[in-house]
């Protein structure tokens, strides 16, 4: 019983420390200040009028990855754990690259095209 509680606490602690940036989509793209990635390589975007958050991860100084935090099994919102993402509905887990690490989900998370533009990271929503 205590082991399960400890895991839950550490998962919640990991989530609490992840930065969240509230934003909106303008002309099918999201602009994120590059400075947000100075102290942390992962940024969670709370997008206005969207059911699902977007995780943007800095892979190198010039390369970023963006993932829709929507479970590919049951269209449920995912929670970031610091090491990946989890669906609290049926227990599917995904790596920080969006690949399935535990089912029942069978498909990787949706990826968005990302570009670096001067002092901004641009995420293109199609």
């Amino acid at each position: 019983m205590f082991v399960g509680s400890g895991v839950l606490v550490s998962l919640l602690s990991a989530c609490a420390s992840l930065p969240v940036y509230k934003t909106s989509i303008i002309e099918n793209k999201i602009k994120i200040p590059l400075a947000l990635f100075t102290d942390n390589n992962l940024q969670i975007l709370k997008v206005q009028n969207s059911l699902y958050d977007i995780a943007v991860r800095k892979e190198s100084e010039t390369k970023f990855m963006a993932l829709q935090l929507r479970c590919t099994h049951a269209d449920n919102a995912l929670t970031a754990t610091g090491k990946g993402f989890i669906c609290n509905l049926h227990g599917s887990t995904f790596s920080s690259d969006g690949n399935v690490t535990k089912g029942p989900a069978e498909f990787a998370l949706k990826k968005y095209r990302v570009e670096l533009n001067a002092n901004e990271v641009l995420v293109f929503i199609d």
Side-chain angles (χ1 to χ4, degrees), residues 16-79:
S17 64
L18 292 174
V20 174
Y21 181 69
K22 293 181 181 178
T23 187
S24 58
I25 300 169
I26 299 172
E27 297 178 358
N28 293 330
K29 63 185 164 209
I30 299 170
K31 295 179 180 182
I32 311 158
L34 185 58
L36 292 178
F37 296 93
T38 301
D39 296 327
N40 197 323
N41 288 341
L42 180 66
Q43 186 69 51
I44 303 299
L45 306 181
K46 291 263 185 220
V47 182
Q48 183 179 13
N49 299 324
S50 176
L51 294 175
Y52 305 103
D53 294 343
I54 296 173
V56 179
R57 185 168 53 94
K58 180 179 179 182
E59 297 182 315
S60 71
E61 292 302 314
T62 59
K63 187 175 179 189
F64 290 79
M65 173 187 285
L67 301 168
Q68 183 182 49
L69 298 185
R70 176 183 180 184
C71 183
T72 57
H73 171 251
D75 294 332
N76 191 53
L78 300 177
T79 302

